[in-house]
Amino acid sequence: METKLQIREFLTSRRARITPEQAGLPTYGSRRVPGLRREEVAVLAGVSIQYYTRLERGDMNGVSESVLEALARALQLDDAERAHLLDLARAAHHGPARPRRRQTVQRVRPEIQWTLDAITGAAAFVGNERLDILAANQLGRALNSELYAAPARPVNTARFVFLDPRAEAYYGDWDRVATETVAILRSAAGRDPYNRELSDLVGELATQSQAFGTRWAAHNVRFHNSGVKHLNHPVVGELQLNFNRFDLAADPGLTIWTYTAEPGSRSADALKLLGSWAATLDPAESARATDAS
């Protein structure tokens, strides 16, 4: 995930998706390339064509935040894309690429597990930016039982989505989930381009899944803070759940996710049934099946 290449491909992909009409520019004659030309982006951003060309080649040395903001406006970036551009520029300011570093093992503090266990009526789990599931409450483990069925630990959502044949049946809208999963990983890679575990995961998925590789090449990014997930659980059937993200300020990079159902809905009844099913499992067997350590 070399930073200059990421900058070049990201800016090129954003430029290609905007037509002159969308940018409010006049057009004359036929165009050989889709989207805006470099000189048109330069005009919109208020910089010279030479300067913009340098930026698009991945050379962000000395670029000011005001120029990046102007570039974000010219390319009509959304909030997630703007943040990604700033992340890439920040990484480029660090100079030549550093060796990718391995992170220390992320551990969930006991009091965070106590918090998860105290949450009732909702599935809750702790994840990181690599989309590992590091801890969960009983309902969270039950909800993700298909993911925990794989032997690899920690459980990883992206690996399940792209490499497990059960994923397409589990997700009611697999294509959207797959696209969002890649966009989340792409955003994480921009924030921490030297994270070796993340880089290794991306490499694994890209070599084993064409669906992942195609989406990765699109350079789409997104924030993933709340929304609705449609699941087809093997025990209770269809579920429509609202999820929310709560970042752990004392544990950078770790997040608590909660999945809840609208009160009185069929999904709420199914979630209660799932909780009852999870409570009947033999504790030792459940621990072996869902141990994420």
Side-chain angles (χ1 to χ4, degrees), residues 263-280:
S265 66
R266 185 211 168 276
S267 291
D269 292 338
L271 203 58
K272 290 177 183 176
L273 179 60
L274 183 62
S276 299
W277 171 77
T280 65

Side-chain angles (χ1 to χ4, degrees), residues 154-175:
V155 171
N156 183 270
T157 301
R159 190 177 285 115
F160 175 74
V161 169
F162 288 101
L163 302 184
D164 196 308
R166 295 167 301 164
E168 291 196 36
Y170 179 69
Y171 294 109
D173 45 3
W174 180 88
D175 188 71

Side-chain angles (χ1 to χ4, degrees), residues 139-163:
L139 189 52
R141 291 190 293 270
L143 181 66
N144 291 299
S145 59
E146 290 290 83
L147 283 72
Y148 280 106
R153 294 292 184 271
V155 171
N156 183 270
T157 301
R159 190 177 285 115
F160 175 74
V161 169
F162 288 101
L163 302 184

Side-chain angles (χ1 to χ4, degrees), residues 9-169:
E9 292 182 348
F10 179 67
L11 290 178
T12 301
S13 68
R14 299 310 94 170
R15 176 165 62 87
R17 70 178 183 176
I18 303 175
T19 66
E21 292 80 8
Q22 289 172 323
L25 296 174
T27 57
Y28 305 99
S30 60
R31 302 173 70 88
R32 292 181 300 170
V33 296
L36 297 177
R37 299 186 177 104
R38 284 179 175 174
E39 56 266 29
E40 292 170 329
V41 176
V43 169
L44 291 169
V47 299
S48 69
I49 175 61
Q50 294 83 4
Y51 188 69
Y52 175 72
T53 299
R54 194 195 92 187
L55 297 180
E56 193 174 281
R57 287 174 177 166
D59 183 0
M60 290 278 182
N61 186 39
V63 64
S64 67
E65 187 168 337
S66 62
V67 168
L68 293 174
E69 293 289 356
L71 191 56
R73 290 191 296 272
L75 294 173
Q76 301 180 15
L77 304 185
D78 63 23
D79 289 344
E81 292 167 330
R82 173 186 167 277
H84 187 60
L85 177 62
L86 295 175
D87 287 335
L88 292 174
R90 194 175 299 113
H93 285 167
H94 291 156
R98 305 193 300 265
R100 296 192 183 102
R101 56 177 174 76
R102 287 202 178 276
Q103 290 186 326
T104 56
V105 177
Q106 290 177 298
R107 300 194 181 280
V108 177
R109 290 179 289 123
E111 54 267 39
I112 299 301
Q113 182 65 60
W114 302 339
T115 301
L116 294 176
D117 293 336
I119 297 174
T120 59
F125 57 89
V126 172
N128 59 15
E129 293 198 326
R130 210 180 83 116
L131 300 182
D132 293 324
I133 297 177
L134 302 175
N137 65 0
Q138 185 180 63
L139 189 52
R141 291 190 293 270
L143 181 66
N144 291 299
S145 59
E146 290 290 83
L147 283 72
Y148 280 106
R153 294 292 184 271
V155 171
N156 183 270
T157 301
R159 190 177 285 115
F160 175 74
V161 169
F162 288 101
L163 302 184
D164 196 308
R166 295 167 301 164
E168 291 196 36

